């Protein structure tokens, strides 16, 4: 009989299953904040166009968070592919990561409503920071405890670390730009997300975040 903390491939499989579910819910929630204009408030083509244009901040933050979720989903899936087994502690670290994924619809909604406020940008950046830190902690724990799959060499391990850290540095720069302009900060984050979402990957690490 296995002990509760004993590493196993089955534990890893359960983590993979719950991860997909949480990401699916988060992706759904961020789009639900883009609401169709009220019919009672629209009486002409011009008013409808104005109402749609007023939703521009929400479309911007939706695109931002959709890219964020895409990048982190690919990153998490790649890590799952490089990790052969899991235990309760690694599962807890993954659940912490998912907790911040579940929080992203809130930080997205806050940013959309207060796009001109630095605090809203900082809250969004803190969400990104915690996602990166928990992803990094999961990888470090798996590496230190021998949970990595066969064939994962030292170079691959370093590459994972560097990609996560590099992404966090760029997001920190993005957050700092809010001292100049919150909109500039959001624009820089969006550019970073686009670069990471479209950048080519090596065959082993093509979906690692960063």
């Amino acid at each position: 009989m296995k002990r509760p903390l004993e590493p196993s491939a089955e534990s890893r499989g359960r983590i993979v299953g719950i991860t997909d579910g949480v990401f699916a819910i988060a992706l759904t929630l961020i789009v639900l904040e883009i609401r169709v204009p009220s019919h009672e408030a629209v009486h002409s083509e011009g008013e409808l166009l104005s109402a749609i244009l007023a939703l521009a901040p929400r479309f911007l933050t939706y695109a931002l968070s959709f890219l964020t979720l895409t990048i982190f989903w690919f990153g998490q899936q790649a890590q799952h592919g490089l990790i052969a087994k899991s235990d309760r502690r690694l599962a807890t670290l993954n659940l912490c990561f998912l907790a911040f994924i579940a929080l992203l619809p809130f930080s997205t909604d806050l940013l959309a409503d207060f796009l001109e406020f630095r605090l809203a940008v900082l809250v969004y950046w803190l969400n990104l920071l915690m996602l990166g830190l928990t992803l990094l902690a999961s990888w470090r724990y798996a590496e230190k405890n021998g949970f990595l799959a066969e064939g994962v060499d030292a170079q691959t391990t370093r590459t994972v670390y560097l990609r996560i850290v590099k992404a966090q540095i760029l997001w920190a720069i993005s957050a700092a730009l809010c001292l100049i302009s919150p909109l500039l900060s959001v624009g820089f984050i969006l550019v970073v997300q686009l670069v990471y979402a479209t950048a080519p990957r090596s065959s082993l690490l093509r979906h690692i975040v960063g």
Side-chain angles (χ1 to χ4, degrees):
M1 181 177 181
K2 292 182 178 179
R3 298 175 182 176
L5 291 178
E6 186 178 351
S8 67
E10 290 81 3
S11 296
R12 173 193 167 278
R14 286 193 290 270
I15 292 173
V16 173
I18 192 173
T19 295
D20 289 343
V22 172
F23 269 92
I25 292 171
L27 284 166
T28 301
L29 290 177
I30 60 171
V31 74
L32 290 179
E33 294 303 325
I34 304 177
R35 297 184 177 88
V36 174
S38 171
H39 192 277
E40 290 75 13
V42 176
H43 304 92
S44 67
E45 298 285 350
E47 289 181 350
L48 179 58
L49 178 60
S50 297
I52 293 174
L53 291 176
L55 292 173
R58 294 200 169 273
F59 282 109
L60 174 63
T61 55
Y62 167 73
L64 187 68
S65 290
F66 184 88
L67 287 171
T68 297
L69 288 168
T70 298
I71 291 167
F72 277 106
W73 184 80
F74 281 144
Q76 183 78 332
Q77 292 300 305
Q79 284 200 12
H80 287 159
L82 297 173
I83 296 173
K85 54 189 176 182
S86 175
D87 64 2
R88 182 180 293 178
R89 293 188 179 93
L90 183 57
T92 299
L93 288 171
N94 277 274
L95 287 172
C96 289
F97 170 80
L98 293 177
F100 290 108
I101 288 293
L103 191 61
L104 195 64
F106 164 76
S107 59
T108 301
D109 193 26
L110 183 71
L111 188 61
D113 281 342
F114 301 99
L115 196 57
E116 70 278 15
F117 288 88
R118 294 183 178 90
L119 183 58
V121 176
L122 291 176
V123 169
Y124 192 87
W125 168 69
L126 285 172
N127 204 158
L128 295 179
L129 176 64
M130 296 311 300
L131 284 169
L133 290 177
T134 49
L135 197 64
L136 189 66
S138 297
W139 179 250
R140 181 173 176 79
Y141 182 83
E143 181 210 355
K144 295 300 181 183
N145 289 275
F147 293 169
L148 301 187
E150 292 184 11
V152 179
D153 56 19
Q155 182 179 354
T156 299
T157 301
R158 286 195 301 271
T159 300
V160 175
Y161 282 124
L162 288 175
R163 286 178 178 274
I164 297 174
V165 170
K166 184 174 68 174
Q168 290 300 321
I169 290 173
L170 289 172
W171 287 326
I173 293 172
S174 304
L177 287 175
C178 75
L179 297 175
I180 301 173
S181 166
L183 192 57
L184 176 63
S185 179
V186 172
F188 192 85
I189 295 175
L190 182 59
V191 170
V192 171
Q193 306 299 55
L194 283 170
V195 169
Y196 279 103
T198 58
R201 302 290 192 266
S202 67
S203 59
L204 181 61
L205 295 171
R206 62 189 182 275
H207 295 318
I208 293 287
V209 64

